Amino acid sequence: MDISLNRDLDSLNLALDALDEWVVVVDHEANIQFINQPYAQFLGIKREDAYGHKVVDVIENTRMHSVLKSGKKELSKLQKIRGRHMIANRYPIRRGGEVIGAIGFVVYHDTHQWQQINTQIKALVSDLDYYRRALDKEQTGAHYHINDLIGRSPAIQNVNEKIKKVAGGDASVLIRGESGTGKELYAHALHLLSERSKGPFIKINCAAIPEHLLESELFGYAEGAFTGAKRGGKQGKFQLANKGTLFLDEIGDMPLSMQAKLLRVLQDREIEAVGSNRLVKIDVRLVTATHQPLEKLVEVNEFREDLYYRINVVSVELPPLRDRREDIPALAEHFLTRLAGRTGRRAPKLTVDALTRMLEYAWPGNVREMENAIESAFYLSQGYKISLQALPAALTDGIELIDQHLEQGTLKERLALAEKEILEQTLVACKGNRQRAAKVLGIGKTTIYDKLVRYQLTGESFDH
């Protein structure tokens, strides 16, 4: 073999050793001819010791010999090696139409990586499969995908990214936020992004069910369990959510007696219906929500500490509307368009003074209050504009203003103050990166530079 060929092979080996993927090559008799260093290191062997040995003797559950026999490639196949699940691709190597060997790649070293990738893919293509998801919604009970949730503010984008990251696993998620921030909508989105998206999505509001009925609602009851019980019994929410997601809203309002029973179910992964002595295994992902400070409830013994840690594996905090006011115009347009679709009426636009007042208002009821305000104004307004006078009295009377000084000055001055504050908030969230801030706000680089000069703001001063 000449020097240049040796050099080429050495370079190829170095390149294969640098890959994240694990690589193995076998000859026509399924003997290992090459294995890259990362793969050998995982197997706990010296790769030179593997050369010439049958691949089945070195790599457990391999199918390289099967590829040699069939001459067909195998893509995205699950393989368990040393107690870990892998995703592998295998290809036959041909010369002159004859199979002379095979090469295999372990693309994902753990199924968790595959779940994360799968979650990202689902998020990217969600706007292309509207009709498929509409059908899925009817089957699963979940109605809102991540792309259905309106908002481009840094605060809401951070929430969306967190939801995408945790959706692929099975960890319990606690969604926190004030009333009206959209906690249930995010529970829907989490389910539809998860590996359980084809399974049921079952929800229950713990504050809406009387204490004496909550146990049977959650765990079901057997026939004859109590007076008035249905013949044949009834399944509870846990049974209905099997292989899917159970969403417990207002978990902070659950009575202590039920908290103990819920904890046992989460620990043992089995339930016992009321009036039954039979334990039933369940496979449910739990998502909970609350507007209450659970830590303070734990301190005063109104919420079990052990249950708190069980449900709070991942915590997602939804920002109040007053902290994401740059989303108000898009939310208003979304609600008006939806109302127009329902009524067959052309979607009206907010006048500048109406939008200004909406930007000033504190929105104690958050997005839910804003939706109600828009609906009220929609039906009270005439023509294609919604004026300040059409807004509910809470807004037009100047109640709950975030900054009292915004009540003063001309409309132009008040708009400028609101715009400046939105720019400041966005620059802080983007750590002073003006290009990123421009992208978040949906404006060009030249436009944001002009506005920064106008309001005497500098991107660097926000880099903290």
Side-chain angles (χ1 to χ4, degrees), residues 110-177:
D110 196 294
T111 50
H112 175 69
Q113 288 181 295
W114 172 251
Q115 290 172 347
Q116 293 293 91
I117 295 293
N118 196 33
T119 296
Q120 294 176 30
I121 292 171
K122 284 186 177 183
L124 289 172
V125 303
S126 62
D127 56 338
L128 300 177
D129 59 358
Y130 173 82
Y131 294 105
R132 179 187 60 78
R133 288 193 288 106
L135 179 60
D136 288 345
K137 290 173 187 177
E138 292 180 6
Q139 294 174 341
T140 69
H143 303 295
Y144 302 97
H145 198 275
I146 195 76
N147 285 2
D148 297 326
L149 306 177
I150 307 299
R152 295 186 61 189
S153 63
I156 212 67
Q157 287 299 311
N158 288 338
V159 171
N160 290 351
E161 288 304 312
K162 192 169 188 179
I163 289 290
K164 291 175 186 178
K165 287 178 181 178
V166 304
D170 256 353
S172 297
V173 178
L174 173 62
I175 304 175
R176 316 180 74 153

Side-chain angles (χ1 to χ4, degrees), residues 44 134 143 176 204 206 342 356 372 422:
H143 303 295
R176 316 180 74 153
I204 183 171
C206 299
R342 289 178 188 168
T356 302
N372 291 338
I422 289 171

Side-chain angles (χ1 to χ4, degrees), residues 329 332-334 336-337 340 345-355 358 374 377-378 381-388 390-391:
E333 182 179 0
H334 169 72
L336 288 170
T337 301
R345 172 183 167 187
R346 176 178 167 183
K349 300 289 185 182
L350 291 165
T351 60
V352 174
D353 54 350
L355 179 58
M358 293 183 74
I374 289 289
F378 178 87
S381 64
Q382 295 181 348
Y384 303 129
K385 295 288 184 181
I386 292 181
S387 66
L388 179 63
L391 297 177

Side-chain angles (χ1 to χ4, degrees), residues 352-353 355-357 359-360 406 410-421 455:
V352 174
D353 54 350
L355 179 58
T356 302
R357 181 52 60 93
L359 288 168
E360 295 172 348
L406 288 178
T410 65
L411 176 61
K412 185 176 180 180
E413 290 170 340
R414 289 155 61 192
L415 274 173
L417 284 169
E419 184 176 59
K420 180 181 178 181
E421 187 168 349
Y455 298 124

Side-chain angles (χ1 to χ4, degrees), residues 251-266:
I251 186 73
D253 291 302
M254 178 175 283
L256 279 170
S257 59
M258 278 305 304
Q259 291 178 29
K261 294 175 181 178
L262 175 61
L263 178 65
R264 188 179 68 249
V265 169
L266 297 180

Side-chain angles (χ1 to χ4, degrees), residues 6-127:
N6 271 324
R7 189 182 301 117
D8 289 343
L9 290 174
D10 288 342
S11 298
L12 179 60
N13 288 346
L14 286 173
L16 292 174
D17 284 344
L19 293 176
D20 285 334
E21 291 85 355
W22 298 341
V23 184
V24 62
V25 179
V26 299
D27 61 18
H28 67 287
E29 294 181 343
N31 296 318
I32 295 177
Q33 298 299 308
F34 174 82
I35 186 169
N36 69 343
Q37 185 59 31
Y39 204 170
Q41 187 172 352
F42 170 73
L43 294 172
I45 61 173
K46 292 182 178 179
R47 60 177 172 181
E48 294 80 7
D49 294 342
Y51 293 165
H53 287 79
K54 294 291 184 185
V55 68
V56 294
D57 296 331
V58 178
I59 303 174
E60 62 182 301
N61 299 315
T62 183
R63 287 184 49 81
M64 295 292 286
H65 56 297
S66 300
V67 171
L68 289 172
K69 185 176 180 180
S70 68
K72 296 180 180 178
K73 63 184 177 183
E74 296 183 352
L75 302 180
S76 301
K77 297 297 182 181
L78 201 63
Q79 181 178 351
K80 191 173 184 180
I81 309 175
R82 304 190 71 183
R84 287 173 57 179
H85 287 95
M86 317 289 180
I87 307 291
N89 294 333
R90 308 178 187 96
Y91 305 85
I93 301 173
R94 288 184 170 86
R95 177 185 291 158
E98 181 183 354
V99 176
I100 63 169
I103 183 169
F105 299 88
V106 177
V107 185
Y108 300 103
H109 304 164
D110 196 294
T111 50
H112 175 69
Q113 288 181 295
W114 172 251
Q115 290 172 347
Q116 293 293 91
I117 295 293
N118 196 33
T119 296
Q120 294 176 30
I121 292 171
K122 284 186 177 183
L124 289 172
V125 303
S126 62
D127 56 338

